[in-house]
């Protein structure tokens, strides 16, 4: 899509949507939202950028490939459940600290689980969207003699 209006709007909207996705992630501990909705919002920000500038520039904007973001999210979510069995509690039991770096956001294993869900959802959605946008990846090879079709 080659629209100067979309490109101009995307420049301002991308950071706002990413910031909103982080706020949704952090707010999700006490209210509906959290990692899943935050991840979808973050992926929508990059989708908007892809529509304005194309999939190649969208990939350049990502710090890691979507596959790596998804894998990192799964690892963070799984690792967030491991501290509880180490102190004799069930797997994925919530452990909280007294730290509250942002007012209303307590630090604990559910925060890390939500961050893992955020990364998994954002990475997998971006993986699907970019795969569809880049399909087919290469031009078919020209046949000798040329096919008139």
């Amino acid at each position: 899509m080659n629209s100067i209006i979309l490109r101009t709007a995307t420049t301002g909207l991308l950071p706002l949507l990413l910031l909103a996705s982080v706020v949704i992630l952090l707010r999700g501990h006490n209210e509906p939202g959290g990692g899943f909705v935050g991840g979808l919002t973050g992926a929508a920000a990059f989708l908007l950028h892809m529509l304005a500038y194309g999939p190649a520039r969208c990939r350049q904007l990502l710090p890691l490939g979507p596959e790596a973001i998804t894998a990192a999210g799964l690892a963070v979510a799984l690792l967030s459940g491991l501290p509880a069995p180490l102190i004799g509690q069930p797997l994925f039991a919530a452990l909280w600290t007294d730290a509250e770096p942002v007012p209303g956001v307590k630090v604990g294993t559910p925060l890390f689980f939500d961050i893992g869900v955020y990364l998994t959802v954002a990475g997998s959605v971006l993986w699907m969207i970019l795969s569809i946008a880049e399909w087919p990846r290469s031009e078919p090879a020209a046949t000798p003699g040329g096919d008139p079709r």
Side-chain angles (χ1 to χ4, degrees), residues 41-63:
T41 306
F46 285 104
L47 171 63
L48 183 64
H49 187 272
M50 186 197 74
L51 290 174
Y53 294 102
R57 285 196 56 188
C58 184
R59 278 192 185 272
Q60 290 175 349
L61 194 62
L62 293 172

Side-chain angles (χ1 to χ4, degrees), residues 8-25 37-38 40-46 48-49 61 118:
T8 303
T10 299
T11 303
L13 286 175
L14 179 68
L16 290 176
L17 284 170
L18 290 175
L19 180 64
S21 73
V22 172
V23 169
I24 292 169
L25 165 69
V37 177
L40 287 177
T41 306
F46 285 104
L48 183 64
H49 187 272
L61 194 62
Y118 177 96

Side-chain angles (χ1 to χ4, degrees), residues 60-140:
Q60 290 175 349
L61 194 62
L62 293 172
L64 299 170
E67 301 90 349
I69 294 171
T70 303
L74 286 172
V76 170
L78 289 174
L79 290 175
S80 71
L82 295 181
L86 295 176
I87 59 170
Q89 295 194 7
L91 186 67
F92 287 106
L95 300 176
W96 296 98
T97 65
D98 293 331
E100 194 171 310
V102 177
V105 178
K106 295 179 181 174
V107 175
T109 54
L111 174 64
F112 292 104
F113 183 79
D114 277 345
I115 291 171
V117 170
Y118 177 96
L119 292 172
T120 302
V121 169
S124 60
V125 169
L126 285 170
W127 191 355
M128 287 185 277
I129 290 171
L130 288 172
S131 296
I132 291 169
E134 293 170 338
W135 187 83
R137 287 187 179 248
S138 62
E139 295 291 324

